[in-house]
Amino acid sequence: MNVQKLFSALATAALSMGFNSQSFAAESISNNNVYIPAGTAQSYSIDVASGSKSVTASITWTSKSTVADVILYLKQGSAANSSNYDCRVVVAYKGVCSIQNPEAGIWYVGVQAYVTLNYGIEAFSTSGNTDGKTGS
């Protein structure tokens, strides 16, 4: 199976689970002002290199709330969701999931919204580089 067919299959699987897939297997993700409607979920993935010190996903948005609006998930090897995650954070304004000494491979970030909002998301792995981030 070539890489393009694999990514297509992953996108189809993510969509069938209710996740709106934004990107697959980037070395890092940095998106601002992403729209998500209430009651939906979106999925991202990053490729974590062997020997990485950590993998981190963070989310923020401009409208502060006193209730939990979003759940952020991080999972190695398969789509992250409410029943399948290595890290889960219930977020009212901003939140971070981080795993130390992660296994190399594809890590999935899931965002599940309970209100309609625009958010910013960043996901990356850290290594011994001077800036601490892998990817761009």
Side-chain angles (χ1 to χ4, degrees):
M1 179 179 270
N2 70 31
V3 173
Q4 188 175 24
K5 285 183 181 179
L6 175 62
F7 288 158
S8 177
L10 289 171
T12 301
L15 290 173
S16 71
M17 293 185 306
F19 279 82
N20 176 12
S21 174
Q22 297 294 317
S23 64
F24 279 94
E27 289 183 347
S28 65
I29 299 165
S30 182
N31 290 329
N32 292 311
N33 205 28
V34 179
Y35 174 80
I36 186 169
T40 64
Q42 295 176 337
S43 180
Y44 302 85
S45 64
I46 62 170
D47 190 1
V48 174
S50 178
S52 292
K53 303 296 182 205
S54 67
V55 60
T56 301
S58 64
I59 187 170
T60 60
W61 61 91
T62 57
S63 59
K64 293 184 181 181
S65 174
T66 58
V67 298
D69 294 325
V70 172
I71 300 177
L72 177 66
Y73 302 102
L74 185 60
K75 175 74 176 132
Q76 196 273 331
S78 60
N81 58 49
S82 61
S83 61
N84 187 38
Y85 57 85
D86 293 323
C87 178
R88 175 183 179 263
V89 177
V90 178
V91 183
Y93 169 59
K94 61 181 167 180
V96 176
C97 268
S98 188
I99 303 288
Q100 301 301 310
N101 302 311
E103 291 183 35
I106 305 300
W107 282 75
Y108 295 84
V109 179
V111 177
Q112 185 173 7
Y114 293 97
V115 297
T116 298
L117 55 86
N118 289 354
Y119 66 91
I121 189 158
E122 183 176 26
F124 57 89
S125 60
T126 57
S127 66
N129 295 342
T130 56
D131 68 357
K133 295 182 182 179
T134 61
S136 53

